[in-house]
């Protein structure tokens, strides 16, 4: 039984059934019936077809016969040569042909890929029996695998199911499973499930069944005998026995295959039994014995088994039992590991003897290795520790490439441990070397991707599987599979730098989780056999409720190292969830808390995956499909799965990325709609005509689309674009308009212009493309905003109302999209207008049909709606930008968009879509557009009525239309209120029809008043409404005040000021304003009127001169400039240039600003004026008064002082004061005459006469120096605040000339010394004149009184009645001396 030959021939295994049955050893009971002649079972040649060199799932295995290691076989289970020639376990199908078997092996296996990435793949094997795949069933089973032969067995309480899970054919060709009733089934459903193993044999495996409670063992040497349809024959062909030594309450927990005919049985109490199914002569027989310590070595770190197995005391802490290789004939070694970290090495012999070689307590060493890597602190007193499983690591110590166990060579194990503290749990993989009684842990692989505790209620113990290559460890848990790379990163300059920078990546780890809501649990597993040198590995896992799955780790691609796939990425995890995360899948892609990614990594990965879907660049997507609709649908579903997974399992991502993901999904939805339109066009177009979508895709620049590959027979540009360039949809849409116009222009250039029918069809297709793309996008956005974590309440029809700040450009409202949609809408409206003008008949060849035109018209209304959306979206985005210049662009675009919208709505009216225009105006609350549409319709209809060129019925229709429009107008006052009134009344103002507003209905009264009051430009008419309707005289006065500011002529301004004064007086009378306030306002009005009076006075003085010129303004200006503004401003270019403009306004009787009027009056040539004229005498006093009057507007002292100084300076330099100062040879009369003739003296005298200087004393000449001769001094006045320096320098140059002349007057003319005398002389002259005037008036009054007295006396003499008597009879004399009689 311990022969190193792993295979036993069929003739040896199947003994003569007529031989007398031998009894077994004392520790076993052999119960075997005398078998009868075997009968054929119901098996077919397909049931146990041997595997080819390559398995059905691409996994290669070696045909070299080797013993069992780690509990699974490395080869074809020993009898591969015989199996390779057989087509059945017990029967050969003589009629089977070789080419039929080869054909079957080449078919697809029907497996389903559950997930795949660059590192590993998970597939569902199609060969699992249907009854084992129902997750809703309460059907419980336990399984085991024979990877070498490709068979699997599942046991229930009553039967065993055997099938070939590695098939060379598809699932439809695989054989039915064998249902084998158990000879002694469990009595109750609560008992542990029977344990089953497939025993390597040839030409077919045998079946071993062990009952956990009773210990009864049943063995069939072949599956054919086990599957006999005759229950009696099935029982006769079985070899039965029992595991001796089972105590009450004990049960068998596991069976480990030690060699083809030997097994190690683990008992719940901690016992280990050695079970054999053949006696030393090779005859089938059940023999078992409990392993007992008889000669265990002691000393050093090894101890006896006294505390574990001695004295009949057994510990219930067996973690795993693994059998090693057989180095000598008849000998085998095995290792027993306990959960407490004790490793026991046993030597088993063919004759039934056994001995304990070593016992190693590795717990402290394992814990120290964990602490050394920093997984747990050194002071973890309450640290829970347990060994879960271990496996042999293969080395090159022997020629066979296996780890050996013995005294000469080291034994290398990979030990899986778990540690648990109060806060967390951790798993570790320890590389343990045991050499000649010593233990070392050179490497520890901490498992960071899985920290969930091991469930105490789990029926499946964690299992560690390690392939022969030892590159990857598979940790099989009840509901998860953990993959851990065991490869060490080789030292290199790069790795050294990464290590120093603490950037060296950890070895690859990942977890494959099963869904928790389906009851999926692992019930068995096994390592698959891979071909030597393949580089990859795989294991098969049996999942209750689902079936068998294969987890395969791919070999590294050429040129890559293990560090290249050291970490799992967010992109990989998301791809697995998106492309494999269906609701019916076994796997759970929700992610684990141990595997976390930075938010920016998740966002970047999500966008890349989204773009790979819209661009079909993902390796998970096919780029060829017979159904484009299904292809687009699958991609759309993938985008839906992506956002659903992100929202459910990841932290909230940024709004920017959410928008970008939504936009990609919008484009995919739009692409599906565009494809539908294209399909319709293919079926409806005439053969000789082109399809717009096909043409525009060809027109798109190569840099804006993925290049087609004719060499790869890609001949359909439309499908190619939809597959690769959906993410560039914002580029395609504008080309729908461009291509339409290009096709038409080319036809005109070729002297073959399109007929209207062809052109209309292309226009229709362009409308369809834009509407399919943009309408679908906006609708998708509105419907799915909440799915993407966006607030749909902030949207109206897919357009955001706010929250644009920080957003990138939106693809539905790029500048090119906005322009293209608008141009297409206008293009059809112009086309329809042209058609209507041509008055073409439908019967004419090539004329667009009326149904087609109506269809386009309806589409055009929808397109106008889309155009409104795109423009609104764009200008709102621009207005939220951080750049002020871009915000200004947004404001300008908003104004432009409103104008465009009004034009498009009017265009809809022109093509007969009046109702749609009204609806769109109402939808966007575009009061201006509604007012434009309604007023234009009312006006055009009224013109038709006035022309009276239509019939009676048509006239009635026009009247009805006017009434309908007027009804809309009235209704909008109720519906929209002030916003509608604003737009409606503004339309009248813009058209110069404001006077029509004064005739309004009661519904408009309040709105009209509010409108007029809020629009200063309407003040000219607003005051009329205030007086006639509102009776509000105070507001009317305010309106007149605003109106006079807008008046451009003197007479208008003067009238409005006067009427404003009257309104204020009426307001005081009606107690609508305070008297003090009214008095102040009236004083201001009087001041303004005085300024106007000064301009009128100047105009009247210049009027005679203006008559000399023709009735032409420039000529009049020239005459006035030549007459009055020649000498004084000759050298002053800036002043002369400005002065010409002032004179032009005076000539045209336009209102001149008070400051400009001051300049004009003060710059006139003194010698050009009539010396004794009132204007000449008083002009500088008038200028000074104007300066004082204009201050009420500006309120600036500095500005007033500057201007007043300039006036006084000009007044002084009008005369030659140095000459006047030369008084030699002059008497006083001559000096007084020269002084009295100066402008200064006249101005002072006139001021003293009127008393003006009493409150405003004239300044001394020296205080006038320097006024306005520098830029800084000019800037003290706000008038020059914003003027450029170069402009002010020109003015200062002119003023400096004046200042120089004043300085000469002061120095050479000694004006400062003359000043007091001149002032006194002017005052005396004014007083003398006043006295003379007083005396003259007194003499006049005395003469008048004398005249009246004389007249009285004459009347009395004539009438004979005295004044006293005349009063008695009603006769008297008035003040003028006239007789008055009472009647």
């Amino acid at each position: 039984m311990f022969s190193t030959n792993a295979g036993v021939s069929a003739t040896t295994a199947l003994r003569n059934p007529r031989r007398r049955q031998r009894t077994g050893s004392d520790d076993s009971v052999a119960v075997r019936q005398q078998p009868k002649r075997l009968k054929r079972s119901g098996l077919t040649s397909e049931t146990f077809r041997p595997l080819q060199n390559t398995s059905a799932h691409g996994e290669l295995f070696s045909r070299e016969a080797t013993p069992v290691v780690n509990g699974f076989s490395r080869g074809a289970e020993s009898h591969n040569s015989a199996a390779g020639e057989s087509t059945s376990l017990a029967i050969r199908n003589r009629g089977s042909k070789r080419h039929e078997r080869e054909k079957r092996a080449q078919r697809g296996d029907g497996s389903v890929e559950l997930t795949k990435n660059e590192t590993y793949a998970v597939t569902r094997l199609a060969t699992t029996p249907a009854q084992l795949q129902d997750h809703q069933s309460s059907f419980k089973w336990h399984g085991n695998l024979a990877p070498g032969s490709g068979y699997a067995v599942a046991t229930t309480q009553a039967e065993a199911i055997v099938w070939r899970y590695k098939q060379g054919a598809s699932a439809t060709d695989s054989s039915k499973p064998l249902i084998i009733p158990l000879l002694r089934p469990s009595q109750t459903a609560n008992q542990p499930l029977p344990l089953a193993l497939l025993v390597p044999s040839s030409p077919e495996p045998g079946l071993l069944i062990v009952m956990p409670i009773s210990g009864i063992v049943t063995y069939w040497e072949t599956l054919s005998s086990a599957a006999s349809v005759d229950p009696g024959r099935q029982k006769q062909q079985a070899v039965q026995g029992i595991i001796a030594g089972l105590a009450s309450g004990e049960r068998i927990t596991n069976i480990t295959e030690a060699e083809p005919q030997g097994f190690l049985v683990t008992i719940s109490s901690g016992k280990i039994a050695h079970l054999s199914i053949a006696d030393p002569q090779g005859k089938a027989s059940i023999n078992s014995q409990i392993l007992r310590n008889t000669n265990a070595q002691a000393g050093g770190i090894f101890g006896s088994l006294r505390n574990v197995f001695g004295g009949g005391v057994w510990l219930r802490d067996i973690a795993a039992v693994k059998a090693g290789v057989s180095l000598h004939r008849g000998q085998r070694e095995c290792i027993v590991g306990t959960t407490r970290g004790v490793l026991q090495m046993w030597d088993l012999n063919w004759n039934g003897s056994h001995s304990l070689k070593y016992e190693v307590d590795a717990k402290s060493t394992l814990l120290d290795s964990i602490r050394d890597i920093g997984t747990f602190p050194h002071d973890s007193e309450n640290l829970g520790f347990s060994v879960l499983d271990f496996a042999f690591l293969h080395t090159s110590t022997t020629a066979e490439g296996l780890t050996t166990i013995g005294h000469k060579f080291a034994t290398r194990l990979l030990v899986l441990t778990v540690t648990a503290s109060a806060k967390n749990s951790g798993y570790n993989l320890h590389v343990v070397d045991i050499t000649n009684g010593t233990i070392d842990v050179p490497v520890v692989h901490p498992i960071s991707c899985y920290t969930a505790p091991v469930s105490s209620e789990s029926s499946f113990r964690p299992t560690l599987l390690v392939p022969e290559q030892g590159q990857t460890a598979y940790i099989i848990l009840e509901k998860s599979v953990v993959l851990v790379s065991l490869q060490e990163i080789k030292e290199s300059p790069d790795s050294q730098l990464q290590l120093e920078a603490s950037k060296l990546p950890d070895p690859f780890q990942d977890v494959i989780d099963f869904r928790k809501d389906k009851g999926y649990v692992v019930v068995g597993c096994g390592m698959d056999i891979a071909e030597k040198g393949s580089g990859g590995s795989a294991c098969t896992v049996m999942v209750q409720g689902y079936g068998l799955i294969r987890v395969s780790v791919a070999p590294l691609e050429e040129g890559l190292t293990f560090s290249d796939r050291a970490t799992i990425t967010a992109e990989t995890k998301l791809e697995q969830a998106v492309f494999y995360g269906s609701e019916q899948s076994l796997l759970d892609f929700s992610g684990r808390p141990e595997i976390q990614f930075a938010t920016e990594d998740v966002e970047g990965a999500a966008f890349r995956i989204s773009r790979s879907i819209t661009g079909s660049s993902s390796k998970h997507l096919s780029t060829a499909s017979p159904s484009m609709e299904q292809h687009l649908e699958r991609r759309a579903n993938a985008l839906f799965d992506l956002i659903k997974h992100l929202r459910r399992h990841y932290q909230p991502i940024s709004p920017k990325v959410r928008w970008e993901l939504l936009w990609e999904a919008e484009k995919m939805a739009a692409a599906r709609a565009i494809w539908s339109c294209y399909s319709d066009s293919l079926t409806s177009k005439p053969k000789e005509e082109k399809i717009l979508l096909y043409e525009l895709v060809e027109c798109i620049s190569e840099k804006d689309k993925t290049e087609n590959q004719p060499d790869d027979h890609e001949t359909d540009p439309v499908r190619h674009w939809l597959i690769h360039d959906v993410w560039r949809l914002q580029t395609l849409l504008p080309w729908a308009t461009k291509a339409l116009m290009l096709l038409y222009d080319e036809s005109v250039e070729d002297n073959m212009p399109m007929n209207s029918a062809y052109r209309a069809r292309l226009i229709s297709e362009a409308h369809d493309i834009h509407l399919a793309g943009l309408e679908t996008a906006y609708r998708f956005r509105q419907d799915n905003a909440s799915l993407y974590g966006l607030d749909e309440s902030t949207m109206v029809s897919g357009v955001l109302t706010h929250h644009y700040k920080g957003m990138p450009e939106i693809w539905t409202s790029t500048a090119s999209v906005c322009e293209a949609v608008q141009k297409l809408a206008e293009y059809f409206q112009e086309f329809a207008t042209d058609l209507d003008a041509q008055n073409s008949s439908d019967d004419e060849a090539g004329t667009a049909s009326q149904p087609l035109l109506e269809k386009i018209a309806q589409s055009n209304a929808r397109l106008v709606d889309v155009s409104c959306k795109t423009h609104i979206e764009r200008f709102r985005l621009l207005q939220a930008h951080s750049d002020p210049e871009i915000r200004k662009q947004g404001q300008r675009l908003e104004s432009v968009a409103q104008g465009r919208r009004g034009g498009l709505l009017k265009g809809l009216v022109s093509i007969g879509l009046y109702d749609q225009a009204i609806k769109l105006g109402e939808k966007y609350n575009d009061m201006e557009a509604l007012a434009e549409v309604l007023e234009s319709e009312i006006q055009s209809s009224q013109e038709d009525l006035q022309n009276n060129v239509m019939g009676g019925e048509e006239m009635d229709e026009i009247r009805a239309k006017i009434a309908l429009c007027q009804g809309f107008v009235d209704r909008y006052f109720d519906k929209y209120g002030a916003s509608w009134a604003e737009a409606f009344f503004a339309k009248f103002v813009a058209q110069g029809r404001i006077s029509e507003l004064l005739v309004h209905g009661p519904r408009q009264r309040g709105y009209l008043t509010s409108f007029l009051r809020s629009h200063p430009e309407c003040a000219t008419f607003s005051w009329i409404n205030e007086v006639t309707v509102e009776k509000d005289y105070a507001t009317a006065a305010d309106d007149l005040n605003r109106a006079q500011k807008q008046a451009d002529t003197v007479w208008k301004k003067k009238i409005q000021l006067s009427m404003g004064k009257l309104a204020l007086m009426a307001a005081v009378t009606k107690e609508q304003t305070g008297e003090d306030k009214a008095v102040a306002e009236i004083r201001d009005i009087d001041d303004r009127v005085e300024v106007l009076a000064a301009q009128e006075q100047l105009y009247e003085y210049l009027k005679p001169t203006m008559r000399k010129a023709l009735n032409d303004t420039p000529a009049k200006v020239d005459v006035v400039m030549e007459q009055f503004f020649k000498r004084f401003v000759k050298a002053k270019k800036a002043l002369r240039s400005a002065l010409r403009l002032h004179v032009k306004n005076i000539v045209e009787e336009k209102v001149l600003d008070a400051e400009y009027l001051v300049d004009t009056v003060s710059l006139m040539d003194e010698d050009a004026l009539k010396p004794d004229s009132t204007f000449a005498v008083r002009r500088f006093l008038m200028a000074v008064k104007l300066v004082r009057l204009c201050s009420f507007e500006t309120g600036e002292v500095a500005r007033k002082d500057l201007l007043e100084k300039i006036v006084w300076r000009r007044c002084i330099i009008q005369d030659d004061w140095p000459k006047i100062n030369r008084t030699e040879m002059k008497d006083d009369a001559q000096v007084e005459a020269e002084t009295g003739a100066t402008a200064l003296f006249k101005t002072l005298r006139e001021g003293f006469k009127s008393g003006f200087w009493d409150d405003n004393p004239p300044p001394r000449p020296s205080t006038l120096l320097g006024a306005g001769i520098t830029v800084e001094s000019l800037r003290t006045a706000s008038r020059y605040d914003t003027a450029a320096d170069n402009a002010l320098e020109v003015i200062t140059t002119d003023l400096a000339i004046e200042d120089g002349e004043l300085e000469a007057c002061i120095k050479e003319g000694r004006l400062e010394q003359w000043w007091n005398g001149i002032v006194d002389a002017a005052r005396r002259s004014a007083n003398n004149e006043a006295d003379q005037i007083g005396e003259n008036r007194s003499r006049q009054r005395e003469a008048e009184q004398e005249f009246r007295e004389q007249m009285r006396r004459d009347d009395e003499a004539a009438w004979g009645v005295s004044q006293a008597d005349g009063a008695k009879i009603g006769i008297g004399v008035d003040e003028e001396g006239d007789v008055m009689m009472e009647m």
Side-chain angles (χ1 to χ4, degrees), residues 1259-1316:
R1260 297 184 68 86
S1262 59
T1263 64
L1264 308 178
L1265 288 173
I1269 65 173
T1270 64
V1271 172
E1272 290 74 15
S1273 63
L1274 284 181
R1275 289 200 186 278
T1276 58
S1278 62
R1279 176 180 177 183
Y1280 303 108
D1281 276 352
T1282 59
D1285 286 347
N1286 56 353
L1288 294 182
E1289 287 173 358
V1290 177
I1291 299 175
T1292 58
T1293 301
D1294 292 349
L1295 296 179
I1297 295 174
E1298 296 179 356
D1299 201 63
E1301 295 176 2
L1302 174 62
E1303 188 175 6
C1305 293
I1306 295 174
K1307 290 183 178 181
E1308 299 176 15
R1310 296 194 307 148
L1311 186 58
E1312 190 67 25
Q1313 287 78 15
W1314 283 82
W1315 178 255
N1316 292 335

Side-chain angles (χ1 to χ4, degrees), residues 571-819:
E571 188 168 354
T572 298
K573 284 296 184 182
L574 287 176
E575 281 184 332
Q576 289 178 298
V578 169
F579 295 105
Y580 298 102
S582 67
E583 293 296 332
Q584 302 304 319
S585 175
L586 163 74
L587 306 182
D588 180 6
F589 297 102
S590 60
R592 299 195 61 82
E594 301 90 344
I595 302 177
Q596 297 292 328
F597 304 102
T599 301
E600 55 269 21
D601 293 337
V602 175
E603 293 178 348
F607 181 75
R608 288 192 295 273
I609 293 172
S610 180
R611 180 55 57 85
S612 72
I613 294 171
T614 54
S616 296
S617 59
S618 173
K619 60 181 177 295
H620 302 287
L621 291 173
S622 171
T623 56
S625 174
S627 172
M628 179 55 64
E629 172 58 32
Q630 293 180 2
H631 177 78
L632 294 172
E633 182 180 7
R634 185 189 176 196
R635 290 158 64 190
N637 290 338
L639 292 173
F640 174 78
D641 292 339
L642 172 62
I643 188 60
K644 184 174 66 173
H645 184 76
L646 284 171
R647 292 291 311 283
R648 184 178 298 173
H649 301 297
Y650 287 88
Q651 292 294 330
I653 57 179
S654 65
K656 176 179 177 293
V657 176
R658 276 180 276 156
W659 274 110
E660 289 173 339
L661 296 179
L662 174 58
W663 294 336
E664 295 293 303
E666 292 171 6
K667 293 176 183 178
M668 188 56 63
R672 296 178 66 185
I674 291 174
W675 171 255
S676 178
C677 294
Y678 178 70
S679 300
D680 295 340
S681 298
L682 288 174
T683 59
S684 62
K685 82 168 187 72
K687 292 183 179 180
E688 67 280 0
E689 294 182 359
K690 299 178 180 179
I691 294 182
L692 184 63
L693 183 60
Y694 188 96
E695 296 299 324
L696 73 88
V697 171
E698 291 285 354
C699 290
I700 296 176
S701 172
E702 294 298 330
K703 66 181 179 63
D704 292 327
K705 65 181 178 182
T706 304
E707 186 177 358
N708 207 342
Q709 301 295 331
D711 295 341
D712 295 338
H713 306 287
E714 294 180 349
T715 59
D716 189 340
V718 175
R719 289 177 182 267
H720 186 271
W721 190 93
L722 289 171
I723 290 173
H724 298 285
D725 294 310
V726 168
W727 61 278
R728 289 173 167 147
L729 185 57
Q730 68 273 17
T731 302
L732 177 134
L733 292 177
W735 272 104
T737 302
K738 294 178 184 178
L740 169 66
M741 297 180 179
L742 284 174
L743 289 174
Y744 179 73
D745 292 342
E746 289 175 358
S747 68
V748 174
E749 291 175 2
D750 296 338
N751 295 322
M752 298 179 62
M754 298 177 182
N755 58 49
S756 61
Y758 185 14
R759 191 178 174 193
R761 187 180 64 78
L762 291 180
I763 294 175
S764 176
E765 291 182 10
H767 277 68
D768 292 343
I769 291 171
H770 278 291
L771 293 174
L774 294 173
E775 274 190 340
T776 303
Y778 283 119
R779 184 167 53 251
F780 184 93
R781 185 181 303 168
Q782 185 70 49
D783 295 342
N784 295 275
S786 59
L787 174 65
Y788 285 79
L790 303 170
D791 187 2
E792 70 274 15
S793 65
T794 62
M795 295 183 190
V796 176
S797 299
V799 179
L800 272 178
T801 56
H802 50 284
H803 296 319
Y804 284 90
K805 187 175 182 180
M807 286 183 64
E809 186 176 41
I810 306 174
W811 75 273
T812 50
S813 57
T814 63
S816 56
V817 169
C818 291
E819 182 180 6

Side-chain angles (χ1 to χ4, degrees), residues 49 180 260 357 442 555 611 1025 1152 1165:
R49 181 179 297 278
I180 301 173
K357 286 189 174 184
R611 180 55 57 85
N1025 180 72
L1152 195 64
D1165 296 334

Side-chain angles (χ1 to χ4, degrees), residues 1179-1227:
R1179 68 179 180 116
F1180 280 105
L1181 179 60
M1182 177 193 301
V1184 174
K1185 288 184 176 181
L1186 288 174
V1187 172
R1188 304 293 174 89
L1189 291 175
C1190 72
S1191 65
F1192 72 88
E1193 292 182 348
T1194 62
E1196 296 183 35
V1197 176
R1199 186 172 181 179
K1200 181 181 76 67
D1201 290 345
L1202 175 63
L1203 187 57
E1204 187 172 353
K1205 287 180 179 180
I1206 292 174
V1207 170
W1208 278 108
R1209 184 171 61 195
R1210 289 172 181 170
C1211 176
I1212 293 173
I1213 64 177
Q1214 291 290 325
D1215 298 289
D1216 189 355
W1217 284 99
K1219 181 180 178 181
I1220 297 173
N1221 180 58
R1222 291 194 292 271
T1223 60
E1224 61 271 15
M1225 304 300 294
K1226 296 178 182 178
D1227 57 15

Side-chain angles (χ1 to χ4, degrees), residues 1003-1044:
R1003 179 176 291 162
Q1004 304 176 16
R1005 173 177 172 176
Y1007 293 119
L1008 179 60
T1009 299
S1010 299
F1011 174 81
L1012 293 174
R1013 287 177 177 177
S1014 62
H1015 289 73
E1017 69 274 11
C1018 299
T1020 305
F1021 294 91
S1022 178
W1023 73 270
I1024 300 175
N1025 180 72
E1026 298 294 342
V1027 171
T1028 60
V1029 177
E1030 302 296 336
K1031 308 299 182 183
D1032 189 342
Y1033 301 105
T1035 304
D1038 293 337
D1039 289 339
L1040 286 165
N1041 185 37
R1042 288 195 296 267
Q1044 62 87 18

